[in-house]
Amino acid sequence: MRILVSFCLAFIISQSSLIDGYRILGLFPLAGKSHWVMMEALMVGLAERGHQVDVLTQFKIKNPHPNYNEILLKNEVGSPVNNVTAHDTKRFSSLNMEHLTYIAGYKICMLMEQPPIKSIITNPPKDPPYDLVIIELFAAHCYLAFGRHLKVPIVGVMSSPFHDWSSHWIGVPNEGAYVPNIFSGFSQKMSFVERLTNTFMIHFLQLQIDYHVNKQNEITKQYFGIDATTSDLFQDLSLVLVNSHHSLHGIRSFPHSVIEVGGLHLSNNNTDPLQPEVQKWLDDSKDGCIYFTFGSMVRIETFPKEMIEMFYKSFEKIAPTRVLMKVAKKEELLPGLPKNVMTQSWFSQIPVLKHKNTRAFITHGGLMGTTESIFYGIPMIGIPLFGDQSVNIQNYVNRKVAISLGSIYELTEEKLTNALKTILNDPSYMTNIKKLSETFKDRPEPVMNKATYWVEYVIKHKNLLQSPAIFLPWWQRYLFDVYGTIILVLILVTLLVIYLIKLIVKFVFGKNRQKVEKNLKKKKN
């Protein structure tokens, strides 16, 4: 009887939470695993808070919450997970945004042809209807049209630090004097040449993104019947959640509509256990273990033979310290792997970083992995490949919790070996990262509570947080009209003063001249 009563109470509570909660649509069609980690955490957090969430994605969730409704997309674009080669990284590191906006933008917009998305567009649920749409803000800005189409507020999520190519659409001030572009690799203390380069990069990328994403307008018109530019659609955006924190990425100005929620995916802390052989390997690593991965996408085994041999030689030199190395396809790895190295196609990363014997993390500088490394207090050796990785690693070097080896194509065996020995033998790196970890975690409320609070806030209050700057043309936003008027007035006043001075001079000296001429005439007579 007691069990039956408990069951009934639990059922009533769960139903009341569904009734009181909102219905939220999450649209995450990009097949990027590292991006999805943050999106999944947010949607699960909202489900746990009592909201009914419909999540459109290419990734199947392992332990779905009862309030979590999964809508799986067919992968027509191709997945980058364990599929990016050394050659691809060179293309991604280019400042030419045409390829990025096509692969992660236009082609993702074309997925609207798939039945699950088409169904939401043509026949959205009405009992209850959606109260909010959440999308990833990256390159597929066409999905912003769902807010206007469904007549609900829309929230954007950035899985990276704030990317400046969206700043003018969101009302974030341009602070290029001390906020480095995410592709620059600069710190917040820039020289004149770096500030000049940074300013050029910010505007160059912004112009490119503006041009290329406007090609998505035809898709918006085709599927929604909305004749709007990207700039118009951004005016419907109520809130942006950004994967950053001042302790890691420095100080900058954000409008009220931009909320920093760095480490959001760590609040759920739902991780897979380690494979038994990996658990044993770490447990037996009495002299410590180095964890080495280039993230969920890049395949280490595709790099040149000379580079792989260089890794092998460096790892041999630090034995008996062990190494865990992520290799997607072991059969393609160069022979001669040292005995102190274990390879796997996938590691459950958080348990590896949490293990007491993990001493350092060799990383490409991806934000998710490096945030986890800081959270669990593991110093890093950075080898940035593309995107925001250079600026991430530079931030950690400035905080003395990481050693940067620069571009992978500048890497030498000596540089890598020295970095490994330094990070293992210099206790200051471990001390510094433990302090940084404490600072990163020191917040007035759990980050998931912060994120879900502001999501609920915009459902209730719509666009109240929006910056007025997004409704101003660029010349008004940067006060070009005001400063232009002031300069024009100053020029006119200056010209008027000069004119008056000339008149006075002419009048005074003209009279004197007449007197002199008159006196000379008299003397002649």
Side-chain angles (χ1 to χ4, degrees), residues 3 14 27 32 181 193 208 211 223 257 281 284 295 299 330 397 403 427 435 442 445 470 508 511:
I3 295 171
S14 68
L27 297 167
N181 179 269
V193 173
Q208 282 196 82
Y211 174 75
Y223 289 98
S257 59
W281 179 270
D284 293 344
R299 293 172 52 203
K330 295 182 185 180
V397 169
I403 297 171
K435 288 179 182 176
D442 189 2
E445 61 181 332
I470 66 175
V508 171
K511 271 198 165 187

Side-chain angles (χ1 to χ4, degrees), residues 7 61 68 95 104 179 216 229 249 315 331 346 407-408 418 469 492 501 518:
F7 175 79
I61 193 171
Y68 185 104
L95 288 180
V179 177
Q216 298 171 17
T229 64
H249 303 102
F315 294 156
E331 65 276 13
W346 195 265
S407 166
I408 191 162
N418 288 341
L492 290 174
I501 290 171
K518 202 172 181 182

Side-chain angles (χ1 to χ4, degrees), residues 407-421:
S407 166
I408 191 162
Y409 299 102
E410 299 169 0
L411 192 61
T412 65
E413 182 192 335
E414 184 183 8
K415 283 169 70 174
L416 178 58
T417 303
N418 288 341
L420 285 165
K421 289 181 177 178

Side-chain angles (χ1 to χ4, degrees), residues 165-223:
W165 60 71
S166 300
S167 59
H168 58 311
W169 291 324
I170 296 169
V172 175
N174 182 355
E175 298 170 316
Y178 57 90
V179 177
N181 179 269
I182 63 170
F183 293 141
S184 69
F186 299 149
S187 70
Q188 286 204 305
K189 294 179 180 178
M190 290 179 270
S191 66
F192 169 75
V193 173
E194 288 175 335
R195 282 185 287 117
L196 184 66
T197 306
N198 192 50
T199 303
F200 170 77
M201 288 180 72
I202 288 170
H203 291 291
F204 179 63
L205 290 170
Q206 202 170 82
L207 287 169
Q208 282 196 82
I209 297 287
D210 282 7
Y211 174 75
H212 291 302
V213 299
N214 272 331
K215 296 173 186 175
Q216 298 171 17
N217 296 346
E218 61 191 62
I219 298 174
T220 304
K221 191 170 184 179
Q222 177 186 347
Y223 289 98

Side-chain angles (χ1 to χ4, degrees), residues 440-456:
F440 180 65
K441 295 175 186 176
D442 189 2
R443 311 188 194 194
E445 61 181 332
V447 66
M448 183 59 75
N449 289 2
K450 181 181 182 180
T452 53
Y453 169 82
W454 287 111
V455 167
E456 292 164 357

